[in-house]
Amino acid sequence: LIVNSYSDFFADFGDVEERKLLYRRGYSQNMITDRAMSPLMDALAVRFVIAAVPLSDPGPLIQRLQGANYTVYERPDPMPRAFFVENAEVLDQGAIHARLRQIARAEFTLQQLHRYVLLDKDTLPPAGLTTEVQTIGHGESGRFVPARIKEDTHSRVNIDVDAPSDGWLVLSDTYYPGWRATANGLAVPIVRANGFARAIPVRAGHQEVVFSFKPVSVFYGAWVTGVAGVITFLLMASNWIKPPFGGGVKPVQLSLTDAPSIRRSSMQVD
């Protein structure tokens, strides 16, 4: 499944978008494997490439496995899926994709992605936090440090990183609303990075970062379910408490004229 963020990113590979328009269909595996050694594959943290047929010119790709209908290649020296980078550049989404296309055409080297992360200004946190975020990651050295993923599930990613300075932790997974992040237990904003990925600001030192998927719709759904449950309980409780048939037990009213007959009937034994 190629979500919209990945689709926009694949268009930066070069002639992939033109080929898509030519054939009037979605991106095929051939379109992607033809660009297996593109620098942008490193931004995706791609290590292995699966081709339906053996590549005619694999270049530096290392063939690792071949089956009846597939061949698996390994890309040498891929970028890690999670890493620390010291510097950041804030751009709009159009400028970010323009920069990625320059990297794909080798006008900018892949080392650019080791030196700084491209942040989408439209996903920066509210004004109160923007100043703090923008003061992080403007060092001269542009240090790059791989991070270690300790836990990886569909709704939670736990990462350890030893940041040599203030900077950014980048996770090459799709940016999507509903993800939350903490660094050493403190909530931090998630910014769209490199056109599709996630980045958070981190301070120098050891950081334990947790990404967890907690969409607002889940909280709304739980709230509605809870309210509906309370209402249902109250309605059921009111039915339990209400006297049956709505009238309860009616008292028997006896007139004075009935009393003698009752006494007489009670005295007859036979």
mmCIF file of all heavy atoms in Angstrom, residues 123-145:
data_model
loop_
_atom_site.group_PDB
_atom_site.id
_atom_site.type_symbol
_atom_site.label_atom_id
_atom_site.label_comp_id
_atom_site.label_asym_id
_atom_site.label_seq_id
_atom_site.Cartn_x
_atom_site.Cartn_y
_atom_site.Cartn_z
ATOM 1 N N THR A 123 3.757 21.874 9.492
ATOM 2 C CA THR A 123 3.505 20.927 10.579
ATOM 3 C C THR A 123 4.254 21.300 11.851
ATOM 4 O O THR A 123 4.285 20.512 12.799
ATOM 5 C CB THR A 123 3.912 19.503 10.158
ATOM 6 O OG1 THR A 123 5.316 19.465 9.853
ATOM 7 C CG2 THR A 123 3.118 19.053 8.942
ATOM 8 N N LEU A 124 4.850 22.485 11.879
ATOM 9 C CA LEU A 124 5.503 22.955 13.100
ATOM 10 C C LEU A 124 4.457 23.172 14.184
ATOM 11 O O LEU A 124 3.292 23.447 13.892
ATOM 12 C CB LEU A 124 6.264 24.250 12.842
ATOM 13 C CG LEU A 124 7.568 24.133 12.046
ATOM 14 C CD1 LEU A 124 8.122 25.521 11.769
ATOM 15 C CD2 LEU A 124 8.591 23.308 12.805
ATOM 16 N N PRO A 125 4.837 23.053 15.448
ATOM 17 C CA PRO A 125 3.878 23.213 16.544
ATOM 18 C C PRO A 125 3.373 24.645 16.645
ATOM 19 O O PRO A 125 3.861 25.540 15.955
ATOM 20 C CB PRO A 125 4.691 22.812 17.775
ATOM 21 C CG PRO A 125 6.115 23.029 17.379
ATOM 22 C CD PRO A 125 6.181 22.713 15.924
ATOM 23 N N PRO A 126 2.373 24.882 17.515
ATOM 24 C CA PRO A 126 1.815 26.235 17.673
ATOM 25 C C PRO A 126 2.882 27.259 18.019
ATOM 26 O O PRO A 126 3.996 26.926 18.421
ATOM 27 C CB PRO A 126 0.810 26.067 18.817
ATOM 28 C CG PRO A 126 0.439 24.621 18.784
ATOM 29 C CD PRO A 126 1.676 23.888 18.330
ATOM 30 N N ALA A 127 2.507 28.512 17.892
ATOM 31 C CA ALA A 127 3.464 29.616 18.043
ATOM 32 C C ALA A 127 4.223 29.552 19.357
ATOM 33 O O ALA A 127 5.396 29.907 19.435
ATOM 34 C CB ALA A 127 2.732 30.953 17.920
ATOM 35 N N GLY A 128 3.592 29.076 20.397
ATOM 36 C CA GLY A 128 4.250 29.035 21.691
ATOM 37 C C GLY A 128 5.445 28.113 21.734
ATOM 38 O O GLY A 128 6.356 28.295 22.534
ATOM 39 N N LEU A 129 5.442 27.096 20.861
ATOM 40 C CA LEU A 129 6.538 26.131 20.852
ATOM 41 C C LEU A 129 7.471 26.305 19.665
ATOM 42 O O LEU A 129 8.549 25.735 19.634
ATOM 43 C CB LEU A 129 5.961 24.699 20.823
ATOM 44 C CG LEU A 129 5.179 24.252 22.055
ATOM 45 C CD1 LEU A 129 4.594 22.871 21.818
ATOM 46 C CD2 LEU A 129 6.055 24.247 23.290
ATOM 47 N N THR A 130 7.050 27.075 18.674
ATOM 48 C CA THR A 130 7.846 27.198 17.455
ATOM 49 C C THR A 130 9.232 27.753 17.733
ATOM 50 O O THR A 130 10.230 27.278 17.196
ATOM 51 C CB THR A 130 7.129 28.091 16.428
ATOM 52 O OG1 THR A 130 5.849 27.518 16.146
ATOM 53 C CG2 THR A 130 7.932 28.205 15.147
ATOM 54 N N THR A 131 9.317 28.772 18.598
ATOM 55 C CA THR A 131 10.613 29.384 18.895
ATOM 56 C C THR A 131 11.566 28.360 19.486
ATOM 57 O O THR A 131 12.731 28.273 19.097
ATOM 58 C CB THR A 131 10.439 30.557 19.860
ATOM 59 O OG1 THR A 131 9.560 31.516 19.264
ATOM 60 C CG2 THR A 131 11.772 31.210 20.152
ATOM 61 N N GLU A 132 11.057 27.540 20.416
ATOM 62 C CA GLU A 132 11.908 26.538 21.042
ATOM 63 C C GLU A 132 12.384 25.521 20.021
ATOM 64 O O GLU A 132 13.546 25.132 20.015
ATOM 65 C CB GLU A 132 11.143 25.825 22.161
ATOM 66 C CG GLU A 132 11.966 24.744 22.850
ATOM 67 C CD GLU A 132 11.179 24.028 23.922
ATOM 68 O OE1 GLU A 132 10.029 24.401 24.171
ATOM 69 O OE2 GLU A 132 11.736 23.079 24.502
ATOM 70 N N VAL A 133 11.473 25.096 19.127
ATOM 71 C CA VAL A 133 11.847 24.106 18.123
ATOM 72 C C VAL A 133 12.901 24.662 17.179
ATOM 73 O O VAL A 133 13.871 24.003 16.832
ATOM 74 C CB VAL A 133 10.598 23.651 17.336
ATOM 75 C CG1 VAL A 133 10.987 22.817 16.138
ATOM 76 C CG2 VAL A 133 9.676 22.852 18.251
ATOM 77 N N GLN A 134 12.722 25.899 16.748
ATOM 78 C CA GLN A 134 13.634 26.458 15.757
ATOM 79 C C GLN A 134 14.998 26.787 16.344
ATOM 80 O O GLN A 134 15.955 26.995 15.596
ATOM 81 C CB GLN A 134 13.009 27.715 15.143
ATOM 82 C CG GLN A 134 11.823 27.398 14.236
ATOM 83 C CD GLN A 134 11.255 28.644 13.592
ATOM 84 O OE1 GLN A 134 11.440 29.755 14.091
ATOM 85 N NE2 GLN A 134 10.561 28.468 12.489
ATOM 86 N N THR A 135 15.127 26.841 17.664
ATOM 87 C CA THR A 135 16.442 27.076 18.250
ATOM 88 C C THR A 135 17.243 25.784 18.372
ATOM 89 O O THR A 135 18.422 25.825 18.685
ATOM 90 C CB THR A 135 16.299 27.688 19.654
ATOM 91 O OG1 THR A 135 15.550 26.790 20.488
ATOM 92 C CG2 THR A 135 15.584 29.025 19.602
ATOM 93 N N ILE A 136 16.604 24.649 18.098
ATOM 94 C CA ILE A 136 17.294 23.369 18.194
ATOM 95 C C ILE A 136 17.885 23.010 16.844
ATOM 96 O O ILE A 136 17.211 23.065 15.823
ATOM 97 C CB ILE A 136 16.340 22.249 18.657
ATOM 98 C CG1 ILE A 136 15.840 22.539 20.070
ATOM 99 C CG2 ILE A 136 17.002 20.897 18.601
ATOM 100 C CD1 ILE A 136 14.857 21.524 20.584
ATOM 101 N N GLY A 137 19.131 22.611 16.834
ATOM 102 C CA GLY A 137 19.718 22.070 15.625
ATOM 103 C C GLY A 137 20.254 23.103 14.665
ATOM 104 O O GLY A 137 19.819 23.191 13.525
ATOM 105 N N HIS A 138 21.193 23.906 15.098
ATOM 106 C CA HIS A 138 21.855 24.845 14.193
ATOM 107 C C HIS A 138 23.365 24.819 14.444
ATOM 108 O O HIS A 138 24.028 25.842 14.425
ATOM 109 C CB HIS A 138 21.301 26.260 14.379
ATOM 110 C CG HIS A 138 19.885 26.413 13.932
ATOM 111 N ND1 HIS A 138 19.526 26.532 12.606
ATOM 112 C CD2 HIS A 138 18.729 26.410 14.632
ATOM 113 C CE1 HIS A 138 18.212 26.632 12.513
ATOM 114 N NE2 HIS A 138 17.710 26.556 13.729
ATOM 115 N N GLY A 139 23.880 23.631 14.672
ATOM 116 C CA GLY A 139 25.305 23.497 14.920
ATOM 117 C C GLY A 139 26.118 23.521 13.643
ATOM 118 O O GLY A 139 25.603 23.342 12.546
ATOM 119 N N GLU A 140 27.392 23.737 13.784
ATOM 120 C CA GLU A 140 28.271 23.831 12.621
ATOM 121 C C GLU A 140 28.738 22.471 12.131
ATOM 122 O O GLU A 140 28.983 22.272 10.947
ATOM 123 C CB GLU A 140 29.487 24.707 12.975
ATOM 124 C CG GLU A 140 29.138 26.150 13.279
ATOM 125 C CD GLU A 140 28.557 26.862 12.082
ATOM 126 O OE1 GLU A 140 28.925 26.506 10.943
ATOM 127 O OE2 GLU A 140 27.731 27.765 12.278
ATOM 128 N N SER A 141 28.839 21.507 13.042
ATOM 129 C CA SER A 141 29.432 20.220 12.653
ATOM 130 C C SER A 141 28.473 19.339 11.878
ATOM 131 O O SER A 141 28.892 18.543 11.049
ATOM 132 C CB SER A 141 29.918 19.481 13.904
ATOM 133 O OG SER A 141 28.833 19.223 14.781
ATOM 134 N N GLY A 142 27.171 19.469 12.115
ATOM 135 C CA GLY A 142 26.206 18.630 11.431
ATOM 136 C C GLY A 142 26.371 17.166 11.776
ATOM 137 O O GLY A 142 26.451 16.314 10.893
ATOM 138 N N ARG A 143 26.430 16.852 13.062
ATOM 139 C CA ARG A 143 26.687 15.479 13.491
ATOM 140 C C ARG A 143 25.515 14.556 13.191
ATOM 141 O O ARG A 143 24.353 14.967 13.233
ATOM 142 C CB ARG A 143 27.034 15.457 14.975
ATOM 143 C CG ARG A 143 28.446 15.954 15.255
ATOM 144 C CD ARG A 143 28.723 16.095 16.730
ATOM 145 N NE ARG A 143 28.082 17.284 17.276
ATOM 146 C CZ ARG A 143 28.353 17.771 18.487
ATOM 147 N NH1 ARG A 143 29.241 17.155 19.261
ATOM 148 N NH2 ARG A 143 27.752 18.861 18.926
ATOM 149 N N PHE A 144 25.836 13.310 12.897
ATOM 150 C CA PHE A 144 24.865 12.277 12.520
ATOM 151 C C PHE A 144 25.135 11.044 13.372
ATOM 152 O O PHE A 144 26.264 10.564 13.436
ATOM 153 C CB PHE A 144 25.007 11.949 11.031
ATOM 154 C CG PHE A 144 24.145 10.811 10.560
ATOM 155 C CD1 PHE A 144 22.869 11.031 10.069
ATOM 156 C CD2 PHE A 144 24.618 9.501 10.590
ATOM 157 C CE1 PHE A 144 22.079 9.974 9.622
ATOM 158 C CE2 PHE A 144 23.842 8.443 10.153
ATOM 159 C CZ PHE A 144 22.565 8.679 9.674
ATOM 160 N N VAL A 145 24.102 10.521 14.047
ATOM 161 C CA VAL A 145 24.266 9.370 14.929
ATOM 162 C C VAL A 145 23.113 8.393 14.689
ATOM 163 O O VAL A 145 21.944 8.785 14.825
ATOM 164 C CB VAL A 145 24.280 9.794 16.415
ATOM 165 C CG1 VAL A 145 24.391 8.564 17.317
ATOM 166 C CG2 VAL A 145 25.418 10.761 16.684
#
